[in-house]
Short mmCIF file of all heavy atoms in Angstrom, two decimals:
data_model
loop_
_atom_site.label_atom_id
_atom_site.label_comp_id
_atom_site.label_asym_id
_atom_site.label_seq_id
_atom_site.Cartn_x
_atom_site.Cartn_y
_atom_site.Cartn_z
N MET A 9 41.19 -25.02 -34.40
CA MET A 9 42.18 -23.97 -34.24
C MET A 9 42.34 -23.21 -35.55
O MET A 9 42.05 -23.73 -36.62
CB MET A 9 43.52 -24.57 -33.82
CG MET A 9 44.30 -25.18 -34.96
SD MET A 9 45.97 -25.57 -34.49
CE MET A 9 46.67 -25.75 -36.13
N PHE A 10 42.80 -21.99 -35.42
CA PHE A 10 43.04 -21.21 -36.62
C PHE A 10 44.38 -21.58 -37.25
O PHE A 10 45.39 -21.61 -36.57
CB PHE A 10 43.04 -19.70 -36.32
CG PHE A 10 41.67 -19.15 -36.11
CD1 PHE A 10 41.32 -18.64 -34.88
CD2 PHE A 10 40.74 -19.14 -37.13
CE1 PHE A 10 40.04 -18.13 -34.67
CE2 PHE A 10 39.47 -18.63 -36.93
CZ PHE A 10 39.12 -18.12 -35.69
N VAL A 11 44.33 -21.88 -38.51
CA VAL A 11 45.55 -22.10 -39.28
C VAL A 11 46.02 -20.75 -39.82
O VAL A 11 47.19 -20.40 -39.75
CB VAL A 11 45.31 -23.09 -40.43
CG1 VAL A 11 46.50 -23.15 -41.37
CG2 VAL A 11 45.00 -24.48 -39.86
N CYS A 12 45.09 -20.00 -40.35
CA CYS A 12 45.38 -18.69 -40.93
C CYS A 12 44.76 -17.61 -40.04
O CYS A 12 43.56 -17.39 -40.06
CB CYS A 12 44.83 -18.60 -42.34
SG CYS A 12 45.14 -17.01 -43.13
N VAL A 13 45.61 -16.97 -39.28
CA VAL A 13 45.14 -15.94 -38.37
C VAL A 13 44.72 -14.69 -39.15
O VAL A 13 43.72 -14.05 -38.82
CB VAL A 13 46.24 -15.60 -37.34
CG1 VAL A 13 45.81 -14.45 -36.44
CG2 VAL A 13 46.59 -16.83 -36.52
N CYS A 14 45.43 -14.39 -40.19
CA CYS A 14 45.12 -13.18 -40.97
C CYS A 14 43.69 -13.21 -41.51
O CYS A 14 43.02 -12.18 -41.56
CB CYS A 14 46.08 -13.05 -42.14
SG CYS A 14 47.77 -12.70 -41.67
N ASN A 15 43.26 -14.39 -41.93
CA ASN A 15 41.95 -14.51 -42.57
C ASN A 15 40.97 -15.34 -41.75
O ASN A 15 39.90 -15.69 -42.26
CB ASN A 15 42.12 -15.09 -43.98
CG ASN A 15 42.91 -14.18 -44.86
OD1 ASN A 15 42.52 -13.05 -45.12
ND2 ASN A 15 44.08 -14.63 -45.29
N ALA A 16 41.33 -15.67 -40.52
CA ALA A 16 40.47 -16.43 -39.62
C ALA A 16 39.96 -17.72 -40.27
O ALA A 16 38.77 -18.01 -40.29
CB ALA A 16 39.30 -15.58 -39.14
N VAL A 17 40.90 -18.49 -40.82
CA VAL A 17 40.56 -19.77 -41.45
C VAL A 17 41.00 -20.89 -40.50
O VAL A 17 42.15 -20.94 -40.08
CB VAL A 17 41.26 -19.93 -42.81
CG1 VAL A 17 40.92 -21.28 -43.43
CG2 VAL A 17 40.85 -18.79 -43.74
N SER A 18 40.06 -21.77 -40.20
CA SER A 18 40.34 -22.85 -39.25
C SER A 18 40.80 -24.12 -39.95
O SER A 18 40.57 -24.31 -41.15
CB SER A 18 39.10 -23.15 -38.42
OG SER A 18 38.12 -23.76 -39.24
N ASP A 19 41.39 -25.01 -39.18
CA ASP A 19 41.80 -26.30 -39.70
C ASP A 19 40.59 -27.07 -40.22
O ASP A 19 40.65 -27.75 -41.23
CB ASP A 19 42.56 -27.11 -38.66
CG ASP A 19 41.80 -27.30 -37.35
OD1 ASP A 19 40.81 -26.58 -37.11
OD2 ASP A 19 42.21 -28.17 -36.57
N ARG A 20 39.48 -26.92 -39.55
CA ARG A 20 38.26 -27.62 -39.96
C ARG A 20 37.80 -27.15 -41.35
O ARG A 20 37.39 -27.96 -42.19
CB ARG A 20 37.17 -27.40 -38.92
CG ARG A 20 35.93 -28.20 -39.22
CD ARG A 20 34.95 -28.09 -38.08
NE ARG A 20 33.93 -29.11 -38.27
CZ ARG A 20 33.39 -29.79 -37.31
NH1 ARG A 20 33.78 -29.61 -36.07
NH2 ARG A 20 32.47 -30.68 -37.56
N GLN A 21 37.84 -25.85 -41.55
CA GLN A 21 37.45 -25.32 -42.86
C GLN A 21 38.36 -25.87 -43.95
O GLN A 21 37.90 -26.20 -45.05
CB GLN A 21 37.53 -23.79 -42.86
CG GLN A 21 36.45 -23.11 -42.06
CD GLN A 21 36.69 -21.61 -42.00
OE1 GLN A 21 37.57 -21.15 -41.28
NE2 GLN A 21 35.92 -20.86 -42.78
N ILE A 22 39.64 -25.94 -43.66
CA ILE A 22 40.58 -26.47 -44.65
C ILE A 22 40.30 -27.95 -44.91
O ILE A 22 40.26 -28.39 -46.07
CB ILE A 22 42.03 -26.25 -44.20
CG1 ILE A 22 42.34 -24.76 -44.16
CG2 ILE A 22 43.01 -26.98 -45.13
CD1 ILE A 22 43.69 -24.39 -43.59
N GLN A 23 40.06 -28.71 -43.86
CA GLN A 23 39.76 -30.13 -44.03
C GLN A 23 38.50 -30.32 -44.87
O GLN A 23 38.45 -31.20 -45.74
CB GLN A 23 39.58 -30.79 -42.66
CG GLN A 23 40.87 -30.94 -41.90
CD GLN A 23 40.66 -31.35 -40.45
OE1 GLN A 23 39.57 -31.20 -39.90
NE2 GLN A 23 41.71 -31.85 -39.83
N GLU A 24 37.50 -29.52 -44.62
CA GLU A 24 36.25 -29.64 -45.38
C GLU A 24 36.47 -29.27 -46.85
O GLU A 24 35.89 -29.89 -47.75
CB GLU A 24 35.18 -28.74 -44.76
CG GLU A 24 34.68 -29.26 -43.42
CD GLU A 24 33.78 -28.27 -42.68
OE1 GLU A 24 33.61 -27.12 -43.15
OE2 GLU A 24 33.26 -28.66 -41.62
N THR A 25 37.29 -28.27 -47.07
CA THR A 25 37.56 -27.84 -48.45
C THR A 25 38.36 -28.90 -49.20
O THR A 25 38.09 -29.17 -50.37
CB THR A 25 38.30 -26.49 -48.45
OG1 THR A 25 37.50 -25.53 -47.73
CG2 THR A 25 38.54 -25.98 -49.85
N VAL A 26 39.30 -29.51 -48.51
CA VAL A 26 40.07 -30.60 -49.12
C VAL A 26 39.15 -31.78 -49.42
O VAL A 26 39.20 -32.38 -50.50
CB VAL A 26 41.25 -31.02 -48.23
CG1 VAL A 26 41.91 -32.30 -48.74
CG2 VAL A 26 42.27 -29.89 -48.15
N ALA A 27 38.27 -32.10 -48.48
CA ALA A 27 37.33 -33.21 -48.68
C ALA A 27 36.40 -32.93 -49.85
O ALA A 27 35.93 -33.84 -50.53
CB ALA A 27 36.52 -33.44 -47.41
N ALA A 28 36.14 -31.64 -50.10
CA ALA A 28 35.26 -31.25 -51.21
C ALA A 28 35.99 -31.21 -52.55
O ALA A 28 35.37 -30.95 -53.58
CB ALA A 28 34.63 -29.90 -50.92
N GLY A 29 37.30 -31.46 -52.52
CA GLY A 29 38.01 -31.57 -53.79
C GLY A 29 39.19 -30.64 -53.99
O GLY A 29 39.86 -30.73 -55.01
N ALA A 30 39.46 -29.75 -53.06
CA ALA A 30 40.62 -28.87 -53.22
C ALA A 30 41.89 -29.73 -53.26
O ALA A 30 42.05 -30.64 -52.45
CB ALA A 30 40.70 -27.88 -52.07
N SER A 31 42.77 -29.43 -54.20
CA SER A 31 43.97 -30.26 -54.34
C SER A 31 45.25 -29.45 -54.41
O SER A 31 46.32 -30.02 -54.63
CB SER A 31 43.83 -31.13 -55.59
OG SER A 31 43.71 -30.31 -56.73
N SER A 32 45.14 -28.16 -54.22
CA SER A 32 46.35 -27.33 -54.28
C SER A 32 46.19 -26.13 -53.35
O SER A 32 45.07 -25.80 -52.93
CB SER A 32 46.59 -26.84 -55.70
OG SER A 32 45.57 -25.93 -56.07
N LEU A 33 47.30 -25.49 -53.07
CA LEU A 33 47.23 -24.27 -52.26
C LEU A 33 46.40 -23.22 -52.98
O LEU A 33 45.65 -22.48 -52.35
CB LEU A 33 48.65 -23.74 -51.98
CG LEU A 33 48.70 -22.46 -51.13
CD1 LEU A 33 48.02 -22.65 -49.78
CD2 LEU A 33 50.14 -22.01 -50.96
N SER A 34 46.50 -23.18 -54.29
CA SER A 34 45.70 -22.22 -55.05
C SER A 34 44.20 -22.45 -54.84
O SER A 34 43.44 -21.49 -54.74
CB SER A 34 46.03 -22.32 -56.54
OG SER A 34 47.34 -21.90 -56.77
N ASP A 35 43.81 -23.72 -54.78
CA ASP A 35 42.40 -24.03 -54.52
C ASP A 35 41.98 -23.49 -53.15
O ASP A 35 40.91 -22.91 -53.00
CB ASP A 35 42.15 -25.54 -54.55
CG ASP A 35 42.26 -26.13 -55.95
OD1 ASP A 35 42.21 -25.35 -56.92
OD2 ASP A 35 42.39 -27.36 -56.04
N LEU A 36 42.83 -23.72 -52.15
CA LEU A 36 42.51 -23.25 -50.80
C LEU A 36 42.48 -21.73 -50.75
O LEU A 36 41.64 -21.14 -50.08
CB LEU A 36 43.54 -23.79 -49.80
CG LEU A 36 43.58 -25.31 -49.62
CD1 LEU A 36 44.70 -25.70 -48.66
CD2 LEU A 36 42.25 -25.83 -49.12
N GLN A 37 43.39 -21.12 -51.45
CA GLN A 37 43.42 -19.65 -51.49
C GLN A 37 42.16 -19.11 -52.14
O GLN A 37 41.57 -18.14 -51.66
CB GLN A 37 44.66 -19.17 -52.24
CG GLN A 37 45.95 -19.39 -51.46
CD GLN A 37 47.18 -19.07 -52.27
OE1 GLN A 37 47.29 -19.45 -53.43
NE2 GLN A 37 48.13 -18.39 -51.64
N ALA A 38 41.76 -19.71 -53.23
CA ALA A 38 40.59 -19.22 -53.96
C ALA A 38 39.31 -19.43 -53.16
O ALA A 38 38.41 -18.60 -53.18
CB ALA A 38 40.48 -19.94 -55.30
N THR A 39 39.25 -20.54 -52.43
CA THR A 39 38.04 -20.88 -51.70
C THR A 39 37.97 -20.20 -50.33
O THR A 39 36.91 -19.69 -49.95
CB THR A 39 37.95 -22.40 -51.51
OG1 THR A 39 38.04 -23.02 -52.79
CG2 THR A 39 36.64 -22.79 -50.84
N LEU A 40 39.08 -20.21 -49.62
CA LEU A 40 39.06 -19.74 -48.23
C LEU A 40 39.83 -18.44 -48.00
O LEU A 40 39.66 -17.81 -46.97
CB LEU A 40 39.65 -20.82 -47.32
CG LEU A 40 38.92 -22.17 -47.30
CD1 LEU A 40 39.74 -23.20 -46.54
CD2 LEU A 40 37.54 -22.01 -46.68
N GLY A 41 40.72 -18.12 -48.90
CA GLY A 41 41.56 -16.94 -48.70
C GLY A 41 42.77 -17.22 -47.83
O GLY A 41 43.51 -16.30 -47.48
N VAL A 42 42.95 -18.50 -47.48
CA VAL A 42 44.08 -18.86 -46.64
C VAL A 42 45.39 -18.52 -47.36
O VAL A 42 45.49 -18.64 -48.58
CB VAL A 42 44.01 -20.36 -46.26
CG1 VAL A 42 44.19 -21.25 -47.47
CG2 VAL A 42 45.01 -20.70 -45.19
N ALA A 43 46.37 -18.06 -46.60
CA ALA A 43 47.72 -17.76 -47.12
C ALA A 43 47.71 -16.68 -48.20
O ALA A 43 48.51 -16.73 -49.13
CB ALA A 43 48.38 -19.04 -47.64
N THR A 44 46.83 -15.73 -48.07
CA THR A 44 46.79 -14.66 -49.05
C THR A 44 47.23 -13.32 -48.45
O THR A 44 47.13 -12.29 -49.11
CB THR A 44 45.38 -14.49 -49.64
OG1 THR A 44 44.46 -14.24 -48.58
CG2 THR A 44 44.96 -15.71 -50.43
N CYS A 45 47.69 -13.35 -47.22
CA CYS A 45 48.14 -12.10 -46.59
C CYS A 45 49.63 -12.21 -46.28
O CYS A 45 50.46 -11.94 -47.14
CB CYS A 45 47.29 -11.83 -45.34
SG CYS A 45 47.58 -10.22 -44.62
N CYS A 46 50.00 -12.61 -45.06
CA CYS A 46 51.42 -12.69 -44.72
C CYS A 46 52.08 -13.95 -45.25
O CYS A 46 53.29 -14.00 -45.43
CB CYS A 46 51.61 -12.60 -43.20
SG CYS A 46 51.12 -14.09 -42.31
N GLY A 47 51.28 -15.01 -45.45
CA GLY A 47 51.81 -16.25 -45.99
C GLY A 47 52.40 -17.20 -44.97
O GLY A 47 52.85 -18.28 -45.31
N CYS A 48 52.39 -16.80 -43.70
CA CYS A 48 52.98 -17.64 -42.65
C CYS A 48 52.31 -19.01 -42.55
O CYS A 48 52.91 -19.97 -42.10
CB CYS A 48 52.90 -16.95 -41.30
SG CYS A 48 53.96 -15.51 -41.17
N CYS A 49 51.06 -19.10 -42.94
CA CYS A 49 50.29 -20.32 -42.77
C CYS A 49 50.37 -21.25 -43.98
O CYS A 49 49.78 -22.32 -43.97
CB CYS A 49 48.84 -19.97 -42.53
SG CYS A 49 48.15 -19.01 -43.91
N ALA A 50 51.06 -20.85 -45.02
CA ALA A 50 51.04 -21.62 -46.27
C ALA A 50 51.50 -23.06 -46.08
O ALA A 50 50.85 -23.99 -46.54
CB ALA A 50 51.89 -20.92 -47.33
N ASP A 51 52.62 -23.25 -45.37
CA ASP A 51 53.14 -24.62 -45.20
C ASP A 51 52.15 -25.49 -44.43
O ASP A 51 51.94 -26.65 -44.78
CB ASP A 51 54.48 -24.60 -44.47
CG ASP A 51 55.61 -24.11 -45.35
OD1 ASP A 51 55.42 -24.04 -46.59
OD2 ASP A 51 56.68 -23.79 -44.80
N LEU A 52 51.56 -24.94 -43.39
CA LEU A 52 50.59 -25.72 -42.61
C LEU A 52 49.34 -26.01 -43.45
O LEU A 52 48.83 -27.12 -43.44
CB LEU A 52 50.22 -24.97 -41.33
CG LEU A 52 49.26 -25.69 -40.38
CD1 LEU A 52 49.79 -27.08 -40.02
CD2 LEU A 52 49.04 -24.86 -39.13
N ALA A 53 48.89 -25.02 -44.20
CA ALA A 53 47.72 -25.24 -45.05
C ALA A 53 47.99 -26.34 -46.07
O ALA A 53 47.15 -27.22 -46.28
CB ALA A 53 47.33 -23.94 -45.76
N VAL A 54 49.16 -26.32 -46.65
CA VAL A 54 49.53 -27.34 -47.65
C VAL A 54 49.58 -28.72 -47.01
O VAL A 54 49.25 -29.72 -47.66
CB VAL A 54 50.89 -26.98 -48.30
CG1 VAL A 54 51.47 -28.15 -49.06
CG2 VAL A 54 50.72 -25.78 -49.22
N SER A 55 49.94 -28.78 -45.74
CA SER A 55 50.05 -30.08 -45.08
C SER A 55 48.71 -30.81 -45.00
O SER A 55 48.67 -32.01 -44.82
CB SER A 55 50.65 -29.92 -43.68
OG SER A 55 49.69 -29.39 -42.78
N TYR A 56 47.63 -30.10 -45.16
CA TYR A 56 46.30 -30.73 -45.14
C TYR A 56 45.91 -31.32 -46.48
O TYR A 56 44.95 -32.08 -46.56
CB TYR A 56 45.23 -29.71 -44.72
CG TYR A 56 45.29 -29.38 -43.25
CD1 TYR A 56 46.10 -28.35 -42.80
CD2 TYR A 56 44.54 -30.09 -42.33
CE1 TYR A 56 46.17 -28.04 -41.45
CE2 TYR A 56 44.59 -29.79 -40.98
CZ TYR A 56 45.41 -28.75 -40.55
OH TYR A 56 45.48 -28.46 -39.23
N LEU A 57 46.62 -30.96 -47.52
CA LEU A 57 46.21 -31.38 -48.87
C LEU A 57 46.30 -32.88 -49.08
O LEU A 57 45.53 -33.44 -49.84
CB LEU A 57 47.03 -30.64 -49.92
CG LEU A 57 46.71 -29.16 -50.03
CD1 LEU A 57 47.71 -28.46 -50.95
CD2 LEU A 57 45.30 -28.95 -50.54
N GLY A 58 47.22 -33.54 -48.42
CA GLY A 58 47.36 -34.98 -48.61
C GLY A 58 46.48 -35.80 -47.71
O GLY A 58 46.53 -37.02 -47.73
N LYS A 59 45.64 -35.12 -46.93
CA LYS A 59 44.85 -35.82 -45.91
C LYS A 59 43.39 -35.83 -46.29
O LYS A 59 42.57 -35.21 -45.65
CB LYS A 59 45.05 -35.14 -44.57
CG LYS A 59 46.49 -35.15 -44.14
CD LYS A 59 46.71 -34.34 -42.90
CE LYS A 59 48.18 -34.36 -42.50
NZ LYS A 59 48.48 -33.46 -41.41
N ARG A 60 43.08 -36.56 -47.34
CA ARG A 60 41.70 -36.58 -47.84
C ARG A 60 40.91 -37.74 -47.28
O ARG A 60 39.77 -37.93 -47.64
CB ARG A 60 41.69 -36.62 -49.37
CG ARG A 60 42.27 -35.35 -49.94
CD ARG A 60 42.13 -35.32 -51.41
NE ARG A 60 40.72 -35.20 -51.77
CZ ARG A 60 40.30 -35.04 -53.01
NH1 ARG A 60 41.15 -34.97 -53.99
NH2 ARG A 60 39.02 -34.92 -53.28
N SER A 61 41.50 -38.51 -46.40
CA SER A 61 40.78 -39.62 -45.80
C SER A 61 39.54 -39.13 -45.06
O SER A 61 39.59 -38.15 -44.33
CB SER A 61 41.69 -40.37 -44.84
OG SER A 61 40.94 -41.32 -44.13
N ASP A 62 38.43 -39.81 -45.21
CA ASP A 62 37.18 -39.36 -44.62
C ASP A 62 37.17 -39.48 -43.11
O ASP A 62 36.72 -38.61 -42.42
CB ASP A 62 36.01 -40.17 -45.18
CG ASP A 62 35.86 -39.94 -46.65
OD1 ASP A 62 36.81 -40.23 -47.38
OD2 ASP A 62 34.81 -39.47 -47.06
N SER A 63 37.68 -40.59 -42.60
CA SER A 63 37.52 -40.84 -41.18
C SER A 63 38.80 -40.68 -40.37
O SER A 63 38.75 -40.61 -39.16
CB SER A 63 36.97 -42.25 -40.97
OG SER A 63 37.89 -43.18 -41.48
N GLN A 64 39.93 -40.63 -41.03
CA GLN A 64 41.17 -40.62 -40.26
C GLN A 64 41.96 -39.34 -40.45
O GLN A 64 43.16 -39.31 -40.19
CB GLN A 64 42.01 -41.83 -40.64
CG GLN A 64 41.31 -43.11 -40.29
CD GLN A 64 42.15 -44.32 -40.59
OE1 GLN A 64 43.27 -44.21 -41.05
NE2 GLN A 64 41.62 -45.49 -40.33
N ALA A 65 41.31 -38.27 -40.88
CA ALA A 65 41.99 -37.01 -41.05
C ALA A 65 42.11 -36.30 -39.71
O ALA A 65 41.32 -35.48 -39.34
CB ALA A 65 41.23 -36.13 -42.04
N THR A 66 43.10 -36.70 -38.97
CA THR A 66 43.30 -36.12 -37.65
C THR A 66 44.73 -35.60 -37.54
O THR A 66 45.58 -36.24 -36.97
CB THR A 66 43.04 -37.14 -36.54
OG1 THR A 66 43.82 -38.30 -36.82
CG2 THR A 66 41.57 -37.52 -36.47
N PRO A 67 44.96 -34.42 -38.10
CA PRO A 67 46.30 -33.84 -38.01
C PRO A 67 46.73 -33.69 -36.56
O PRO A 67 45.90 -33.42 -35.68
CB PRO A 67 46.14 -32.47 -38.66
CG PRO A 67 44.89 -32.55 -39.44
CD PRO A 67 44.03 -33.58 -38.79
N ALA A 68 48.00 -33.84 -36.32
CA ALA A 68 48.52 -33.76 -34.96
C ALA A 68 48.26 -32.40 -34.34
O ALA A 68 48.29 -32.27 -33.13
CB ALA A 68 50.01 -34.06 -34.97
N THR A 69 47.97 -31.41 -35.14
CA THR A 69 47.82 -30.06 -34.62
C THR A 69 46.36 -29.68 -34.39
O THR A 69 46.06 -28.53 -34.15
CB THR A 69 48.43 -29.05 -35.60
OG1 THR A 69 47.83 -29.22 -36.86
CG2 THR A 69 49.93 -29.24 -35.70
N ASN A 70 45.45 -30.65 -34.43
CA ASN A 70 44.04 -30.27 -34.32
C ASN A 70 43.58 -30.02 -32.89
O ASN A 70 42.48 -29.54 -32.67
CB ASN A 70 43.14 -31.27 -35.03
CG ASN A 70 43.02 -32.57 -34.27
OD1 ASN A 70 43.65 -32.74 -33.23
ND2 ASN A 70 42.23 -33.48 -34.80
N GLY A 71 44.37 -30.34 -31.91
CA GLY A 71 44.04 -30.00 -30.55
C GLY A 71 42.98 -30.86 -29.90
O GLY A 71 42.53 -30.57 -28.81
N ASN A 72 42.55 -31.93 -30.56
CA ASN A 72 41.52 -32.79 -29.97
C ASN A 72 42.05 -33.49 -28.74
O ASN A 72 43.17 -33.99 -28.72
CB ASN A 72 41.06 -33.85 -30.97
CG ASN A 72 40.08 -33.28 -31.96
OD1 ASN A 72 39.58 -32.19 -31.78
ND2 ASN A 72 39.83 -34.03 -33.01
N LEU A 73 41.22 -33.54 -27.72
CA LEU A 73 41.54 -34.36 -26.57
C LEU A 73 40.83 -35.68 -26.76
O LEU A 73 39.72 -35.74 -27.24
CB LEU A 73 41.04 -33.69 -25.29
CG LEU A 73 41.62 -32.31 -25.02
CD1 LEU A 73 40.98 -31.71 -23.80
CD2 LEU A 73 43.12 -32.41 -24.83
N GLN A 74 41.42 -36.73 -26.36
CA GLN A 74 40.80 -38.02 -26.61
C GLN A 74 39.80 -38.30 -25.61
O GLN A 74 39.17 -38.54 -24.94
CB GLN A 74 41.84 -39.11 -26.63
CG GLN A 74 42.78 -38.84 -27.76
CD GLN A 74 43.76 -39.97 -27.95
OE1 GLN A 74 43.65 -41.01 -27.33
NE2 GLN A 74 44.74 -39.78 -28.79
S1 FES B 127 48.39 -16.32 -41.28
FE1 FES B 127 47.55 -16.88 -43.18
S2 FES B 127 48.06 -15.26 -44.51
FE2 FES B 127 48.81 -14.63 -42.58
#
């Protein structure tokens, strides 16, 4: 799903960027452009920063069906 509609940034892209070492909203902004327009997605984008686990990064908002 898209986290950042303004810049068409998906939750998957954010997860991959966090897994690659992003540790702040600034890192995500610099890499993906997330939260650089209206800013509505900033809180959700930040919520991914603490989820660096390789196998259990399954945010409740990812829309996966089991
Ligand atoms: S939804 Fe991300 S900057 Fe607008």
Side-chain angles (χ1 to χ4, degrees):
M9 79 169 197
F10 284 115
V11 171
C12 179
V13 176
C14 292
N15 296 298
V17 178
S18 70
D19 55 344
R20 185 173 193 142
Q21 288 174 286
I22 294 174
Q23 289 169 341
E24 290 171 354
T25 303
V26 170
S31 61
S32 68
L33 180 58
S34 293
D35 289 344
L36 295 177
Q37 288 173 316
T39 305
L40 299 171
V42 66
T44 57
C45 188
C46 73
C48 291
C49 59
D51 287 346
L52 183 54
V54 166
S55 75
Y56 287 88
L57 290 172
K59 300 173 181 173
R60 295 186 68 174
S61 171
D62 296 60
S63 62
Q64 297 183 1
T66 52
T69 56
N70 73 358
N72 281 348
L73 301 176
Q74 298 186 8

